[in-house]
Amino acid sequence: EALRSQAAQAQPRLRAALTESLREFGAGLLPGHAPDADRLARELQAAVDRTLGRSGARVLLGTILVS
């Protein structure tokens, strides 16, 4: 419950960290190649852990769309 409260208070910082992580991931994609969903999940999880200062929160990806 303490982690949930911490995450709720950190929402603006979490959004910023996730956005930056996704931007960096996207910048490294090669044209015509599918993104590595496992790598993306690991990078987003690392961004959340860094932002909260500890592990325990889980990043869940529901859908990845590529156009």
Side-chain angles (χ1 to χ4, degrees):
E1 191 62 35
L3 183 58
R4 183 181 301 267
S5 175
Q6 182 183 1
Q9 292 175 349
Q11 269 191 347
R13 289 184 294 124
L14 285 169
R15 279 193 204 103
L18 290 169
T19 300
E20 180 64 18
S21 183
L22 184 58
R23 186 194 64 73
E24 289 175 4
F25 178 83
L29 290 178
L30 298 173
H33 289 80
D36 181 348
D38 292 330
R39 183 175 146 236
L40 174 59
R42 284 191 307 271
E43 291 186 15
L44 294 175
Q45 184 66 60
V48 168
D49 292 347
R50 275 192 310 273
T51 301
L52 294 178
R54 63 178 170 155
S55 60
R58 284 211 177 149
V59 172
L60 302 175
L61 299 178
T63 305
I64 298 175
L65 297 173
V66 179
S67 61

Short mmCIF file of all heavy atoms in Angstrom, two decimals:
data_model
loop_
_atom_site.label_atom_id
_atom_site.label_comp_id
_atom_site.label_asym_id
_atom_site.label_seq_id
_atom_site.Cartn_x
_atom_site.Cartn_y
_atom_site.Cartn_z
N GLU A 1 0.83 -1.20 0.00
CA GLU A 1 0.00 0.00 0.00
C GLU A 1 0.87 1.26 0.00
O GLU A 1 0.52 2.25 -0.61
CB GLU A 1 -0.94 -0.04 1.20
CG GLU A 1 -2.02 1.00 1.16
CD GLU A 1 -2.97 0.87 -0.03
OE1 GLU A 1 -3.26 -0.26 -0.46
OE2 GLU A 1 -3.41 1.90 -0.53
N ALA A 2 2.00 1.20 0.68
CA ALA A 2 2.90 2.36 0.71
C ALA A 2 3.47 2.63 -0.68
O ALA A 2 3.59 3.79 -1.08
CB ALA A 2 4.03 2.13 1.71
N LEU A 3 3.78 1.57 -1.41
CA LEU A 3 4.31 1.74 -2.77
C LEU A 3 3.25 2.34 -3.69
O LEU A 3 3.54 3.20 -4.50
CB LEU A 3 4.79 0.40 -3.32
CG LEU A 3 5.44 0.44 -4.70
CD1 LEU A 3 6.64 1.39 -4.72
CD2 LEU A 3 5.86 -0.96 -5.11
N ARG A 4 2.01 1.91 -3.54
CA ARG A 4 0.91 2.46 -4.34
C ARG A 4 0.75 3.96 -4.07
O ARG A 4 0.58 4.76 -4.98
CB ARG A 4 -0.39 1.74 -4.04
CG ARG A 4 -1.55 2.20 -4.89
CD ARG A 4 -2.83 1.48 -4.54
NE ARG A 4 -2.72 0.05 -4.70
CZ ARG A 4 -3.06 -0.60 -5.80
NH1 ARG A 4 -3.54 0.06 -6.83
NH2 ARG A 4 -2.93 -1.90 -5.87
N SER A 5 0.83 4.33 -2.81
CA SER A 5 0.73 5.75 -2.44
C SER A 5 1.90 6.55 -3.02
O SER A 5 1.72 7.65 -3.55
CB SER A 5 0.69 5.88 -0.92
OG SER A 5 0.69 7.23 -0.54
N GLN A 6 3.09 5.99 -2.93
CA GLN A 6 4.28 6.65 -3.49
C GLN A 6 4.14 6.81 -5.00
O GLN A 6 4.45 7.87 -5.55
CB GLN A 6 5.53 5.85 -3.16
CG GLN A 6 6.81 6.48 -3.66
CD GLN A 6 8.02 5.62 -3.37
OE1 GLN A 6 7.93 4.52 -2.81
NE2 GLN A 6 9.19 6.10 -3.77
N ALA A 7 3.66 5.78 -5.67
CA ALA A 7 3.48 5.84 -7.13
C ALA A 7 2.42 6.88 -7.50
O ALA A 7 2.59 7.60 -8.49
CB ALA A 7 3.10 4.47 -7.66
N ALA A 8 1.37 6.95 -6.73
CA ALA A 8 0.32 7.94 -7.01
C ALA A 8 0.87 9.36 -6.88
O ALA A 8 0.58 10.23 -7.71
CB ALA A 8 -0.86 7.74 -6.07
N GLN A 9 1.68 9.58 -5.88
CA GLN A 9 2.28 10.91 -5.69
C GLN A 9 3.31 11.24 -6.76
O GLN A 9 3.54 12.40 -7.08
CB GLN A 9 2.91 11.02 -4.30
CG GLN A 9 1.89 11.02 -3.19
CD GLN A 9 2.56 11.00 -1.82
OE1 GLN A 9 3.76 10.78 -1.70
NE2 GLN A 9 1.75 11.22 -0.79
N ALA A 10 3.92 10.21 -7.32
CA ALA A 10 4.98 10.40 -8.31
C ALA A 10 4.45 10.36 -9.74
O ALA A 10 5.26 10.33 -10.68
CB ALA A 10 6.05 9.33 -8.12
N GLN A 11 3.14 10.37 -9.94
CA GLN A 11 2.60 10.22 -11.29
C GLN A 11 3.20 11.18 -12.32
O GLN A 11 3.55 10.73 -13.41
CB GLN A 11 1.08 10.37 -11.27
CG GLN A 11 0.39 9.05 -11.09
CD GLN A 11 -1.10 9.16 -11.33
OE1 GLN A 11 -1.67 10.24 -11.40
NE2 GLN A 11 -1.73 8.01 -11.44
N PRO A 12 3.31 12.46 -12.03
CA PRO A 12 3.91 13.35 -13.06
C PRO A 12 5.35 12.95 -13.40
O PRO A 12 5.74 12.95 -14.56
CB PRO A 12 3.87 14.74 -12.41
CG PRO A 12 2.76 14.65 -11.42
CD PRO A 12 2.81 13.24 -10.90
N ARG A 13 6.13 12.58 -12.40
CA ARG A 13 7.52 12.15 -12.65
C ARG A 13 7.55 10.81 -13.38
O ARG A 13 8.40 10.59 -14.24
CB ARG A 13 8.31 12.08 -11.34
CG ARG A 13 8.59 13.47 -10.78
CD ARG A 13 9.45 13.43 -9.53
NE ARG A 13 8.75 12.78 -8.45
CZ ARG A 13 9.21 11.73 -7.77
NH1 ARG A 13 10.39 11.21 -8.03
NH2 ARG A 13 8.50 11.18 -6.80
N LEU A 14 6.62 9.91 -13.04
CA LEU A 14 6.56 8.63 -13.73
C LEU A 14 6.20 8.82 -15.20
O LEU A 14 6.81 8.20 -16.08
CB LEU A 14 5.54 7.71 -13.06
CG LEU A 14 5.97 7.09 -11.74
CD1 LEU A 14 4.79 6.44 -11.04
CD2 LEU A 14 7.08 6.08 -11.98
N ARG A 15 5.22 9.67 -15.48
CA ARG A 15 4.85 9.94 -16.88
C ARG A 15 6.05 10.49 -17.65
O ARG A 15 6.31 10.08 -18.78
CB ARG A 15 3.70 10.93 -16.95
CG ARG A 15 2.37 10.30 -16.74
CD ARG A 15 1.24 11.25 -17.12
NE ARG A 15 0.05 10.87 -16.42
CZ ARG A 15 -0.46 11.47 -15.36
NH1 ARG A 15 0.12 12.56 -14.89
NH2 ARG A 15 -1.54 11.03 -14.78
N ALA A 16 6.76 11.42 -17.05
CA ALA A 16 7.92 12.01 -17.72
C ALA A 16 9.00 10.95 -17.96
O ALA A 16 9.58 10.89 -19.05
CB ALA A 16 8.48 13.16 -16.89
N ALA A 17 9.25 10.10 -16.98
CA ALA A 17 10.28 9.07 -17.12
C ALA A 17 9.89 8.05 -18.19
O ALA A 17 10.73 7.63 -18.99
CB ALA A 17 10.51 8.37 -15.78
N LEU A 18 8.62 7.66 -18.20
CA LEU A 18 8.15 6.70 -19.20
C LEU A 18 8.19 7.30 -20.60
O LEU A 18 8.57 6.63 -21.56
CB LEU A 18 6.75 6.21 -18.85
CG LEU A 18 6.66 5.32 -17.61
CD1 LEU A 18 5.21 5.10 -17.20
CD2 LEU A 18 7.36 4.00 -17.83
N THR A 19 7.80 8.55 -20.72
CA THR A 19 7.83 9.23 -22.01
C THR A 19 9.26 9.31 -22.54
O THR A 19 9.52 9.03 -23.72
CB THR A 19 7.22 10.63 -21.91
OG1 THR A 19 5.85 10.50 -21.48
CG2 THR A 19 7.27 11.38 -23.21
N GLU A 20 10.18 9.68 -21.68
CA GLU A 20 11.59 9.79 -22.09
C GLU A 20 12.15 8.42 -22.48
O GLU A 20 12.85 8.29 -23.49
CB GLU A 20 12.42 10.40 -20.97
CG GLU A 20 13.89 10.54 -21.30
CD GLU A 20 14.18 11.49 -22.44
OE1 GLU A 20 13.31 12.31 -22.80
OE2 GLU A 20 15.29 11.42 -23.00
N SER A 21 11.82 7.41 -21.71
CA SER A 21 12.30 6.06 -22.01
C SER A 21 11.75 5.58 -23.35
O SER A 21 12.47 5.00 -24.17
CB SER A 21 11.89 5.11 -20.89
OG SER A 21 12.39 3.82 -21.12
N LEU A 22 10.47 5.83 -23.60
CA LEU A 22 9.85 5.43 -24.87
C LEU A 22 10.45 6.21 -26.04
O LEU A 22 10.69 5.65 -27.10
CB LEU A 22 8.35 5.63 -24.80
CG LEU A 22 7.55 5.16 -26.01
CD1 LEU A 22 7.77 3.68 -26.28
CD2 LEU A 22 6.07 5.44 -25.79
N ARG A 23 10.73 7.50 -25.83
CA ARG A 23 11.34 8.31 -26.88
C ARG A 23 12.71 7.76 -27.25
O ARG A 23 13.05 7.61 -28.43
CB ARG A 23 11.46 9.77 -26.44
CG ARG A 23 11.96 10.70 -27.55
CD ARG A 23 12.40 12.04 -27.00
NE ARG A 23 13.54 11.93 -26.11
CZ ARG A 23 14.79 11.68 -26.49
NH1 ARG A 23 15.09 11.50 -27.75
NH2 ARG A 23 15.76 11.62 -25.61
N GLU A 24 13.50 7.43 -26.24
CA GLU A 24 14.84 6.88 -26.49
C GLU A 24 14.75 5.53 -27.19
O GLU A 24 15.54 5.23 -28.09
CB GLU A 24 15.62 6.75 -25.18
CG GLU A 24 16.03 8.09 -24.61
CD GLU A 24 16.69 7.96 -23.24
OE1 GLU A 24 16.91 6.81 -22.77
OE2 GLU A 24 16.99 9.00 -22.65
N PHE A 25 13.79 4.71 -26.78
CA PHE A 25 13.59 3.40 -27.41
C PHE A 25 13.23 3.59 -28.88
O PHE A 25 13.79 2.94 -29.76
CB PHE A 25 12.50 2.63 -26.67
CG PHE A 25 12.19 1.30 -27.27
CD1 PHE A 25 12.96 0.19 -26.98
CD2 PHE A 25 11.12 1.15 -28.14
CE1 PHE A 25 12.67 -1.05 -27.54
CE2 PHE A 25 10.83 -0.08 -28.70
CZ PHE A 25 11.61 -1.19 -28.40
N GLY A 26 12.30 4.47 -29.15
CA GLY A 26 11.86 4.71 -30.52
C GLY A 26 12.96 5.27 -31.40
O GLY A 26 13.06 4.93 -32.58
N ALA A 27 13.80 6.12 -30.83
CA ALA A 27 14.89 6.70 -31.59
C ALA A 27 15.91 5.65 -32.02
O ALA A 27 16.60 5.83 -33.02
CB ALA A 27 15.58 7.80 -30.78
N GLY A 28 15.97 4.56 -31.29
CA GLY A 28 16.94 3.51 -31.61
C GLY A 28 16.41 2.44 -32.55
O GLY A 28 17.14 1.51 -32.90
N LEU A 29 15.15 2.55 -32.96
CA LEU A 29 14.58 1.54 -33.84
C LEU A 29 15.10 1.69 -35.26
O LEU A 29 15.27 2.80 -35.76
CB LEU A 29 13.04 1.66 -33.87
CG LEU A 29 12.30 1.25 -32.62
CD1 LEU A 29 10.81 1.48 -32.80
CD2 LEU A 29 12.58 -0.20 -32.27
N LEU A 30 15.33 0.57 -35.90
CA LEU A 30 15.76 0.58 -37.29
C LEU A 30 14.54 0.52 -38.20
O LEU A 30 13.60 -0.24 -37.92
CB LEU A 30 16.67 -0.62 -37.57
CG LEU A 30 17.98 -0.66 -36.78
CD1 LEU A 30 18.70 -1.98 -37.02
CD2 LEU A 30 18.85 0.51 -37.16
N PRO A 31 14.52 1.31 -39.26
CA PRO A 31 13.38 1.28 -40.18
C PRO A 31 13.14 -0.13 -40.72
O PRO A 31 14.07 -0.85 -41.07
CB PRO A 31 13.80 2.23 -41.31
CG PRO A 31 14.85 3.11 -40.71
CD PRO A 31 15.54 2.27 -39.68
N GLY A 32 11.88 -0.53 -40.74
CA GLY A 32 11.51 -1.83 -41.28
C GLY A 32 11.66 -2.99 -40.31
O GLY A 32 11.34 -4.12 -40.66
N HIS A 33 12.16 -2.72 -39.12
CA HIS A 33 12.33 -3.78 -38.13
C HIS A 33 11.27 -3.65 -37.04
O HIS A 33 10.96 -2.54 -36.61
CB HIS A 33 13.71 -3.72 -37.49
CG HIS A 33 14.81 -4.12 -38.41
ND1 HIS A 33 15.32 -3.27 -39.36
CD2 HIS A 33 15.48 -5.28 -38.55
CE1 HIS A 33 16.27 -3.89 -40.03
NE2 HIS A 33 16.38 -5.13 -39.56
N ALA A 34 10.74 -4.76 -36.58
CA ALA A 34 9.75 -4.75 -35.51
C ALA A 34 10.43 -4.40 -34.18
O ALA A 34 11.57 -4.81 -33.94
CB ALA A 34 9.09 -6.12 -35.40
N PRO A 35 9.75 -3.66 -33.33
CA PRO A 35 10.32 -3.34 -32.02
C PRO A 35 10.39 -4.60 -31.14
O PRO A 35 9.58 -5.51 -31.28
CB PRO A 35 9.36 -2.31 -31.44
CG PRO A 35 8.09 -2.52 -32.16
CD PRO A 35 8.44 -3.05 -33.51
N ASP A 36 11.34 -4.64 -30.26
CA ASP A 36 11.50 -5.74 -29.32
C ASP A 36 10.66 -5.42 -28.08
O ASP A 36 11.06 -4.61 -27.23
CB ASP A 36 12.98 -5.89 -28.97
CG ASP A 36 13.27 -7.02 -28.00
OD1 ASP A 36 12.32 -7.57 -27.41
OD2 ASP A 36 14.45 -7.36 -27.85
N ALA A 37 9.50 -6.05 -27.97
CA ALA A 37 8.57 -5.76 -26.88
C ALA A 37 9.17 -6.10 -25.51
O ALA A 37 8.93 -5.39 -24.53
CB ALA A 37 7.27 -6.51 -27.08
N ASP A 38 9.96 -7.15 -25.44
CA ASP A 38 10.58 -7.52 -24.16
C ASP A 38 11.58 -6.45 -23.72
O ASP A 38 11.64 -6.09 -22.54
CB ASP A 38 11.29 -8.87 -24.27
CG ASP A 38 10.30 -10.02 -24.44
OD1 ASP A 38 9.17 -9.92 -23.93
OD2 ASP A 38 10.67 -11.00 -25.10
N ARG A 39 12.36 -5.95 -24.66
CA ARG A 39 13.33 -4.89 -24.34
C ARG A 39 12.60 -3.62 -23.90
O ARG A 39 13.00 -2.97 -22.94
CB ARG A 39 14.23 -4.61 -25.54
CG ARG A 39 15.29 -3.58 -25.24
CD ARG A 39 16.25 -3.39 -26.40
NE ARG A 39 16.64 -2.00 -26.41
CZ ARG A 39 16.52 -1.19 -27.44
NH1 ARG A 39 16.07 -1.63 -28.58
NH2 ARG A 39 16.89 0.05 -27.35
N LEU A 40 11.53 -3.28 -24.62
CA LEU A 40 10.75 -2.10 -24.25
C LEU A 40 10.22 -2.25 -22.83
O LEU A 40 10.33 -1.32 -22.02
CB LEU A 40 9.60 -1.89 -25.23
CG LEU A 40 8.62 -0.77 -24.88
CD1 LEU A 40 9.33 0.57 -24.78
CD2 LEU A 40 7.51 -0.72 -25.90
N ALA A 41 9.66 -3.41 -22.50
CA ALA A 41 9.13 -3.63 -21.15
C ALA A 41 10.23 -3.49 -20.10
O ALA A 41 10.02 -2.88 -19.05
CB ALA A 41 8.48 -5.00 -21.07
N ARG A 42 11.41 -4.05 -20.38
CA ARG A 42 12.53 -3.93 -19.43
C ARG A 42 12.94 -2.47 -19.22
O ARG A 42 13.21 -2.05 -18.10
CB ARG A 42 13.73 -4.75 -19.91
CG ARG A 42 13.61 -6.23 -19.70
CD ARG A 42 14.92 -6.96 -19.95
NE ARG A 42 15.53 -6.66 -21.24
CZ ARG A 42 15.28 -7.33 -22.36
NH1 ARG A 42 14.42 -8.32 -22.36
NH2 ARG A 42 15.88 -7.00 -23.48
N GLU A 43 13.00 -1.72 -20.31
CA GLU A 43 13.42 -0.32 -20.20
C GLU A 43 12.38 0.52 -19.47
O GLU A 43 12.74 1.39 -18.65
CB GLU A 43 13.70 0.25 -21.59
CG GLU A 43 14.95 -0.37 -22.20
CD GLU A 43 15.37 0.26 -23.52
OE1 GLU A 43 14.88 1.34 -23.85
OE2 GLU A 43 16.19 -0.36 -24.21
N LEU A 44 11.10 0.27 -19.72
CA LEU A 44 10.06 1.00 -19.00
C LEU A 44 10.07 0.62 -17.52
O LEU A 44 9.90 1.49 -16.65
CB LEU A 44 8.69 0.72 -19.62
CG LEU A 44 8.48 1.25 -21.04
CD1 LEU A 44 7.12 0.81 -21.57
CD2 LEU A 44 8.62 2.76 -21.11
N GLN A 45 10.27 -0.67 -17.22
CA GLN A 45 10.34 -1.10 -15.83
C GLN A 45 11.51 -0.44 -15.12
O GLN A 45 11.38 0.02 -13.99
CB GLN A 45 10.46 -2.62 -15.75
CG GLN A 45 10.44 -3.15 -14.32
CD GLN A 45 9.11 -2.92 -13.64
OE1 GLN A 45 8.09 -3.41 -14.13
NE2 GLN A 45 9.10 -2.20 -12.54
N ALA A 46 12.64 -0.35 -15.78
CA ALA A 46 13.81 0.29 -15.18
C ALA A 46 13.55 1.77 -14.91
O ALA A 46 13.96 2.30 -13.88
CB ALA A 46 15.02 0.13 -16.10
N ALA A 47 12.83 2.43 -15.81
CA ALA A 47 12.51 3.84 -15.62
C ALA A 47 11.61 4.03 -14.40
O ALA A 47 11.79 4.96 -13.61
CB ALA A 47 11.83 4.41 -16.87
N VAL A 48 10.64 3.14 -14.23
CA VAL A 48 9.74 3.22 -13.07
C VAL A 48 10.53 2.96 -11.78
O VAL A 48 10.39 3.71 -10.80
CB VAL A 48 8.57 2.22 -13.21
CG1 VAL A 48 7.81 2.07 -11.89
CG2 VAL A 48 7.64 2.67 -14.32
N ASP A 49 11.36 1.93 -11.78
CA ASP A 49 12.15 1.62 -10.59
C ASP A 49 13.07 2.77 -10.21
O ASP A 49 13.19 3.12 -9.03
CB ASP A 49 12.98 0.35 -10.81
CG ASP A 49 12.12 -0.90 -10.93
OD1 ASP A 49 10.91 -0.85 -10.59
OD2 ASP A 49 12.66 -1.93 -11.38
N ARG A 50 13.72 3.38 -11.21
CA ARG A 50 14.59 4.54 -10.93
C ARG A 50 13.79 5.69 -10.35
O ARG A 50 14.22 6.34 -9.39
CB ARG A 50 15.29 5.01 -12.20
CG ARG A 50 16.55 4.28 -12.56
CD ARG A 50 17.33 5.00 -13.66
NE ARG A 50 16.51 5.34 -14.82
CZ ARG A 50 16.29 4.54 -15.85
NH1 ARG A 50 16.80 3.32 -15.87
NH2 ARG A 50 15.56 4.93 -16.87
N THR A 51 12.64 5.96 -10.93
CA THR A 51 11.83 7.10 -10.49
C THR A 51 11.33 6.91 -9.06
O THR A 51 11.33 7.86 -8.27
CB THR A 51 10.64 7.32 -11.45
OG1 THR A 51 11.16 7.54 -12.76
CG2 THR A 51 9.81 8.51 -11.04
N LEU A 52 10.90 5.69 -8.74
CA LEU A 52 10.38 5.42 -7.40
C LEU A 52 11.49 5.15 -6.39
O LEU A 52 11.26 5.18 -5.18
CB LEU A 52 9.43 4.23 -7.44
CG LEU A 52 8.13 4.45 -8.22
CD1 LEU A 52 7.31 3.17 -8.23
CD2 LEU A 52 7.33 5.62 -7.66
N GLY A 53 12.70 4.89 -6.88
CA GLY A 53 13.82 4.65 -5.99
C GLY A 53 13.87 3.24 -5.43
O GLY A 53 14.65 2.95 -4.52
N ARG A 54 13.03 2.36 -5.95
CA ARG A 54 13.02 0.96 -5.51
C ARG A 54 12.20 0.13 -6.47
O ARG A 54 11.45 0.66 -7.28
CB ARG A 54 12.46 0.82 -4.10
CG ARG A 54 11.00 1.24 -3.97
CD ARG A 54 10.53 1.02 -2.57
NE ARG A 54 9.21 1.62 -2.36
CZ ARG A 54 8.38 1.20 -1.44
NH1 ARG A 54 8.71 0.20 -0.65
NH2 ARG A 54 7.22 1.78 -1.28
N SER A 55 12.38 -1.16 -6.37
CA SER A 55 11.58 -2.05 -7.21
C SER A 55 10.31 -2.42 -6.45
O SER A 55 10.15 -2.10 -5.28
CB SER A 55 12.38 -3.31 -7.56
OG SER A 55 12.74 -3.99 -6.39
N GLY A 56 9.42 -3.09 -7.15
CA GLY A 56 8.17 -3.51 -6.51
C GLY A 56 6.96 -3.16 -7.35
O GLY A 56 6.00 -3.91 -7.39
N ALA A 57 7.02 -2.02 -8.03
CA ALA A 57 5.93 -1.64 -8.94
C ALA A 57 6.10 -2.44 -10.22
O ALA A 57 7.21 -2.80 -10.60
CB ALA A 57 5.98 -0.14 -9.24
N ARG A 58 5.00 -2.74 -10.90
CA ARG A 58 5.07 -3.52 -12.14
C ARG A 58 4.54 -2.72 -13.31
O ARG A 58 3.46 -2.15 -13.23
CB ARG A 58 4.23 -4.78 -12.01
CG ARG A 58 4.88 -5.83 -11.20
CD ARG A 58 4.46 -7.17 -11.71
NE ARG A 58 5.15 -8.21 -10.98
CZ ARG A 58 4.62 -9.37 -10.74
NH1 ARG A 58 3.43 -9.65 -11.18
NH2 ARG A 58 5.32 -10.27 -10.09
N VAL A 59 5.28 -2.73 -14.39
CA VAL A 59 4.83 -2.14 -15.64
C VAL A 59 4.15 -3.24 -16.45
O VAL A 59 4.73 -4.30 -16.65
CB VAL A 59 6.02 -1.55 -16.45
CG1 VAL A 59 5.58 -1.11 -17.82
CG2 VAL A 59 6.66 -0.41 -15.68
N LEU A 60 2.92 -2.99 -16.86
CA LEU A 60 2.18 -3.95 -17.67
C LEU A 60 1.87 -3.33 -19.02
O LEU A 60 1.30 -2.24 -19.09
CB LEU A 60 0.87 -4.35 -16.98
CG LEU A 60 1.01 -4.95 -15.59
CD1 LEU A 60 -0.37 -5.18 -14.97
CD2 LEU A 60 1.78 -6.25 -15.65
N LEU A 61 2.28 -4.00 -20.10
CA LEU A 61 1.99 -3.52 -21.44
C LEU A 61 0.81 -4.31 -21.97
O LEU A 61 0.87 -5.54 -22.07
CB LEU A 61 3.20 -3.72 -22.36
CG LEU A 61 4.47 -2.98 -21.97
CD1 LEU A 61 5.59 -3.33 -22.94
CD2 LEU A 61 4.24 -1.49 -21.94
N GLY A 62 -0.26 -3.61 -22.32
CA GLY A 62 -1.44 -4.29 -22.84
C GLY A 62 -1.37 -4.51 -24.34
O GLY A 62 -1.65 -5.60 -24.83
N THR A 63 -0.95 -3.49 -25.07
CA THR A 63 -0.93 -3.55 -26.52
C THR A 63 0.23 -2.72 -27.05
O THR A 63 0.50 -1.65 -26.51
CB THR A 63 -2.24 -3.00 -27.11
OG1 THR A 63 -3.34 -3.72 -26.55
CG2 THR A 63 -2.27 -3.13 -28.62
N ILE A 64 0.87 -3.21 -28.09
CA ILE A 64 1.89 -2.44 -28.78
C ILE A 64 1.47 -2.36 -30.23
O ILE A 64 1.32 -3.39 -30.88
CB ILE A 64 3.29 -3.09 -28.65
CG1 ILE A 64 3.70 -3.14 -27.19
CG2 ILE A 64 4.31 -2.33 -29.48
CD1 ILE A 64 5.01 -3.86 -26.96
N LEU A 65 1.26 -1.16 -30.71
CA LEU A 65 0.87 -0.96 -32.11
C LEU A 65 2.04 -0.41 -32.90
O LEU A 65 2.73 0.51 -32.43
CB LEU A 65 -0.30 0.02 -32.20
CG LEU A 65 -1.60 -0.41 -31.54
CD1 LEU A 65 -2.62 0.72 -31.56
CD2 LEU A 65 -2.16 -1.63 -32.23
N VAL A 66 2.26 -0.96 -34.06
CA VAL A 66 3.34 -0.49 -34.92
C VAL A 66 2.72 -0.11 -36.25
O VAL A 66 1.96 -0.86 -36.82
CB VAL A 66 4.39 -1.61 -35.15
CG1 VAL A 66 5.50 -1.13 -36.05
CG2 VAL A 66 4.93 -2.07 -33.81
N SER A 67 3.03 1.11 -36.69
CA SER A 67 2.49 1.51 -38.00
C SER A 67 3.60 1.87 -38.96
O SER A 67 4.72 2.05 -38.61
CB SER A 67 1.55 2.70 -37.84
OG SER A 67 2.24 3.81 -37.30
#
